Structures are given as C-alpha cells and as structure tokens.
C-alpha cells in the first residue's frame, strides 16, 4: 500500500504558482523510493480557529502568508512544535527576516556586507513611557555625521522592509536629513551604496537548489529578471550561490531569495531575507518552470524521507568558521560544506535521480500544455493592468517556450 503525503499550501492572493505546483504534483503521481511506494496530494489551507491539540494531516507546508498575519504564524509554530510538520521556512527565525539580524549574522561570518548603521525612529512609538525614557537615555545624535561616516551615496531603507518600499538613494547630508524627517515611525538602516557595480544578482534558493539570475532593480517589476547567461565567472557564480545557501542554512530557511552586487570581482550581499520570495510567472517568466520543478522536488524529498523540522540553529558551527584565522575563500568553502550538510545535498541529489527521473520531462510536457497556457493567461489577466495584458501574455508564452526549447536542446546533447 502506498504511503500518502499531503502538502499544505498556506497562501495569500497568488494563483499562478500554486496552480502550476498542484498540476505538477498530480502529474508526478506515485513514486518508488527504497522499498516503498509514495503518493502525493495538495490542499490549500484555510485560516480557522484551531485546537492546540489537534493533529494536522500535512507532511509538508509551504508558507506564503504568516509573515503578515499572526493567526497562520502561530498555527505554524504549533504544527512544528507539536506535530513535526515540515515547514520550508522556520517561523521561529522570522524576526531575522526583518533584515537586521541577517545583516549582523552575515557580518559576523565575514561576508562583504556594505557598511550599515541602524538609526532611531524619527517619530517615537505611541507609548506614554517612551518620552521620559528617551529624555534620560536617548542622547542627541548628528545624523549628517553618521552619513559622513558611512559615506555618500548611501541608501536609507526600512530595517523590516521589502519590495523596495521606503528605500531612498541619498547623495548628501541635506538629502539624508530630508529622507529621515519623512521616515515617520519606521526604523531605518543606512547602508553604503556599491557604486559602478558590474552585476546585480538575485538568487532564488529552494532547498539546496539555487538559481543565480541577473537582475535590474530599476526596471518595471515584470522586467527585472534579465535572461543572460555567463554574466558571472564560474567561481563568482558559485560564491553567490553559496552565500544564498549559507544564509538559508544558518536561519533554517529553505524557500528564500537574496540579492548580491558584484563589483571588481567582489560579492557584496545587500538583501537576503524574503519570507515570500518572488515566484510569480509575470516576473520570473523564463525561470518560472525551474522554480516550480525545484519546489516539487524539494517538497517530495522532505515528505518521502521524513526530513525532520529543524527548530534550533547550530550557530556556533558557523561562528567557529567566521571567527577562525582563515581566508575569505576558505571560509566560503567551509560554509558551503555546512550548508550541504544541512540540506542533505547528496541525499537529495540521489533521491532526485532515482525517485524522480521523469520530473524534467513532466515539467516540459506541462509547460507545453494547454492546461498551463490557461494558467498563464488567467494569471496575466489577474495581475497585470488591462492595457499590458496582451503584451505580457505573449512575452510569457515566448519566455517559457524558450525555456522548453533550451531544456530539450540540453537533453539531446
């Protein structure tokens, strides 16, 4: 009798990737691993009152909602603590996704994070006890002196931000004062700008699977991922990918994206904590099939092998490397080994080859199907303004067709 694994989807408003994921899980059907047969199903999770002692039916949950809402976050903590449900991102390290802790940890590990300061709120919290506390313990500070210490140009950005909301590029003390005066109650980082860079990258990691993509943050949201190959040397690409996997393994995140700027052959990570990494068809376009295939493979591996939820971090293993008298290159290699151990990379690759040898062909068949084209059209109609829908439909069709052609070409060689 086959073992059944239910994968829960905790969703916000997105429809494109969930529909594609559900279709691919259905196409995978049953698989053999070891001496057992395994079957998969999916279910979209609803947010309802729950008994803390109830037993959920899920083997794995993909979370895209709990960063914003307390109820699903507390439900995730319950099912991780009490029921051993596997979560792709650890809800107990969510606060690090506010960027600040992630910056601190990666600086401690020796990564080339640009100089970064945290500055107090411009407007105080709405708490009657704040004012007397601040009068005693919050001395006046010279904002422009901080800016000069970091160096202009610099970026002001919310310590807990995302999607480039509230981010300002600042070139002078006057601009800094203006931006700070208008920052309201938001707690802000000031971070040195990496000027005249060669490549801006965004890396999507799902388990040990990592895709490094060229990225243009100044472009329209649907046009930021650039289809370009060999934009990094093999060594730099490996370094950038390792940075992404290192961050994820350190914080127990397995579905995350990171941004790294490359200048003069040096990799500078600037953003690497995303509770809901971009996986939309409208923006990923060519890379969308890779993301869905990677998500299917990792969820199947976690479910079938009974991968255990890691709630606690083993930070000392990483700090031992970061604090050691090693070169940067030696540290990166050791971090890669730690990340591979956390993600069970060798075991995953063996599973992928033996239990899912047909996954590549299934993905190709799906991407070339009328079923997927229906998902493509409906997602563009739902997410894109009316005057751009036809353009985006054709762009997405041509992009995924190019991906399919490349995959078939690669398989033939």
């Amino acid at each position: 009798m086959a073992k059944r694994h239910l994968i829960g989807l905790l969703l916000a408003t997105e429809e494109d990737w969930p529909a594609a994921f559900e279709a691919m899980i259905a196409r995978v059907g049953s698989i053999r691993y070891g001496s057992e047969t395994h079957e998969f199903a999916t279910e979209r999770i609803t947010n309802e009152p729950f008994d803390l002692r109830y037993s959920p039916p899920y083997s794995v949950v993909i979370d895209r909602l709990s960063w914003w809402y307390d109820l699903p976050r507390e439900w995730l903590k319950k099912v991780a603590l009490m029921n051993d449900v596997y979560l792709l991102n650890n809800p107990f390290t969510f606060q690090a996704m506010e960027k600040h802790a992630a910056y601190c940890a990666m600086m401690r590990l020796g990564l080339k994070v640009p100089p970064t300061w945290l500055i107090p709120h411009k407007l105080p919290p709405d708490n009657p006890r704040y004012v007397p506390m601040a009068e005693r313990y919050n001395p006046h500070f010279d904002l422009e002196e901080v800016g000069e210490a970091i160096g202009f140009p610099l970026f002001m950005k919310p310590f807990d931000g995302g999607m480039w909301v509230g981010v300002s590029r600042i070139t002078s003390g006057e601009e800094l004062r203006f931006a700070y005066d208008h920052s309201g109650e938001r707690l802000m980082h000031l971070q040195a700008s990496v000027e005249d860079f060669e490549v801006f990258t965004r890396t999507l990691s799902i388990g040990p699977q990592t895709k490094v993509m060229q990225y243009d943050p100044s472009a329209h949201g649907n046009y930021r991922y650039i289809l370009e190959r060999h934009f990094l040397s093999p060594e730099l690409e490996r370094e950038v990918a390792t940075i992404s996997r290192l961050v994820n393994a350190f914080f127990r995140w397995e579905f995350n994206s990171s941004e790294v700027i490359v200048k003069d052959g040096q990799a500078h990570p600037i953003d690497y904590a995303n509770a809901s990494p971009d996986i939309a068809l409208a923006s990923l376009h060519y890379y969308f099939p890779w993301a869905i295939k990677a998500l299917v493979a990792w969820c199947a591996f976690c479910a079938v092998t009974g991968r255990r939820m890691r709630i606690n971090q083993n930070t000392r293993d990483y700090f031992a490397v970061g604090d050691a008298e090693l070169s940067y290159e030696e540290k990166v290699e050791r971090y890669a080994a730690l990340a591979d151990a956390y993600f069970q990379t060798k075991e995953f690759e063996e599973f992928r080859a033996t239990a899912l040898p047909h996954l590549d062909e299934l993905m190709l068949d799906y991407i070339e199907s009328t079923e997927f084209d229906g998902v493509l059209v409906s997602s563009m109609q739902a997410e894109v303004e009316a005057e751009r829908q036809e353009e985006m439909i054709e762009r997405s069709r041509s992009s995924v067709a190019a991906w399919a052609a490349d995959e078939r070409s690669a398989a033939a060689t």
Side-chain angles (χ1 to χ4, degrees):
M1 183 176 178
K3 293 185 67 173
R4 185 174 184 271
H5 306 279
L6 183 61
I7 301 172
L9 306 182
L10 187 56
L11 304 173
T13 59
E14 65 263 64
E15 183 60 35
D16 51 358
W17 80 261
F21 180 83
E22 291 162 341
M24 281 299 299
I25 288 292
R27 286 170 180 248
V28 166
S30 63
I31 65 172
R32 291 283 295 178
Y33 187 66
S35 59
E36 293 183 304
T37 300
H38 299 265
E39 295 177 347
F40 306 97
T42 60
E43 181 176 278
R44 299 192 181 193
I45 299 169
T46 55
N47 302 296
E48 303 177 69
F50 61 90
D51 179 353
L52 270 62
R53 287 192 172 88
Y54 102 102
S55 296
Y58 309 106
S59 300
V60 177
V61 169
I62 303 172
D63 167 38
R64 302 281 291 180
L65 182 65
S66 67
W67 172 255
W68 293 276
Y69 299 106
D70 292 337
L71 176 67
R73 184 182 302 194
E74 298 314 308
W75 180 81
L76 287 174
K77 291 176 182 177
K78 171 265 187 297
V79 301
L81 284 171
M82 297 183 68
N83 308 109
D84 288 329
V85 174
Y86 198 80
L87 312 177
L88 266 58
N89 285 340
N90 185 343
F92 298 96
T93 60
F94 262 16
Q95 190 171 10
M97 284 187 165
E98 292 176 338
K99 320 295 185 190
H100 182 74
Y103 282 145
C104 294
M106 295 306 111
M107 287 179 179
R108 169 78 180 269
L109 297 184
L111 298 190
K112 299 167 186 174
V113 181
T116 306
W117 287 54
L118 187 71
I119 56 175
H121 309 83
K122 173 61 181 178
L123 297 180
D126 184 15
N127 185 324
R129 304 187 68 174
Y130 177 86
V131 173
M133 181 280 297
E135 288 174 348
R136 293 184 185 184
Y137 302 117
N138 288 20
H140 172 76
F141 70 98
D142 190 319
L143 181 65
E144 293 188 23
E145 280 189 10
V146 176
E148 293 291 346
I150 297 170
F152 295 104
L154 56 81
F155 282 92
M156 176 184 285
K157 50 187 179 179
F159 90 109
D160 59 349
M163 300 178 67
W164 294 82
V165 175
V167 177
S168 302
R169 185 177 185 274
I170 295 166
T171 62
S172 68
E174 292 78 11
E175 290 181 7
L176 177 58
R177 173 60 61 185
F178 179 86
Y180 182 61
D181 286 345
H182 289 79
S183 62
E185 295 182 359
R186 303 196 79 167
L187 191 61
M188 292 291 196
H189 278 129
L190 300 181
Q191 187 171 83
S193 174
V194 181
E195 294 289 293
D196 302 319
F197 58 83
E198 289 113 45
V199 182
F200 194 115
T201 71
R202 178 175 275 187
T203 301
L204 178 60
S205 287
I206 301 173
Q209 306 157 104
T210 304
K211 179 66 70 177
V212 181
M213 298 165 282
Q214 191 169 355
Y215 191 74
D216 180 3
S218 66
H220 183 282
N222 297 146
Y223 293 88
R224 290 178 179 167
Y225 293 92
I226 301 168
L227 180 52
E228 185 69 43
R229 297 175 180 82
H230 312 302
F231 55 90
L232 293 176
S233 68
E235 295 77 17
L236 266 173
E237 184 173 2
R238 172 175 166 75
E239 180 183 344
V240 171
T242 297
I243 288 170
S244 183
R245 285 197 287 264
L246 162 62
V247 171
N248 293 353
F250 184 90
F251 287 110
R252 307 309 197 214
W253 303 334
E254 300 176 7
F255 189 15
N256 187 30
S257 63
S258 64
E259 293 173 0
V260 176
I261 293 176
V262 176
K263 178 180 179 181
D264 299 330
Q266 304 289 309
H268 302 278
I270 63 163
D271 186 356
Y272 32 86
N274 291 282
S276 292
D278 186 4
I279 195 175
L281 174 58
S283 52
L284 280 187
H285 55 91
Y286 179 92
Y287 300 107
F288 181 80
W290 177 89
I292 299 302
K293 185 167 59 171
L295 194 57
V296 167
W298 184 243
C299 288
F301 172 77
C302 294
V304 168
T305 63
R307 182 169 162 86
R308 305 290 286 183
M309 183 68 200
R310 273 75 160 182
I311 293 174
N312 297 322
Q313 297 172 256
N314 58 324
T315 55
R316 289 296 156 188
D317 293 345
Y318 295 87
F319 290 157
V321 177
D323 296 344
E325 294 295 326
L326 299 170
S327 69
Y328 174 78
E329 291 74 19
E330 290 171 324
K331 289 181 180 181
V332 169
E333 286 303 310
R334 296 202 184 184
Y335 293 144
L338 284 170
D340 282 340
Y342 170 71
F343 287 116
Q344 299 176 273
T345 301
K346 288 184 179 179
E347 293 89 338
F348 169 73
E349 290 173 348
E350 185 271 335
F351 171 85
R352 174 77 168 74
T354 58
L356 295 170
H358 56 318
L359 184 59
D360 292 340
E361 191 61 36
L362 288 175
M363 193 75 232
L364 276 167
D365 290 344
Y366 174 63
I367 289 298
E368 294 176 334
S369 70
T370 56
E371 179 185 4
F372 175 72
D373 191 66
V375 171
L376 185 155
V377 171
S378 62
S379 65
M380 296 306 137
Q381 291 173 340
E383 298 174 23
V384 178
E385 54 271 29
E387 61 271 20
R388 295 179 55 244
Q389 287 176 6
E390 287 304 316
E391 171 200 346
M392 288 299 297
I393 289 170
E394 292 310 310
R395 177 176 181 265
S396 298
R397 281 173 172 163
S398 64
S399 294
V400 297
W403 174 86
D406 288 345
E407 288 290 294
R408 293 200 182 280
S409 176
T413 57

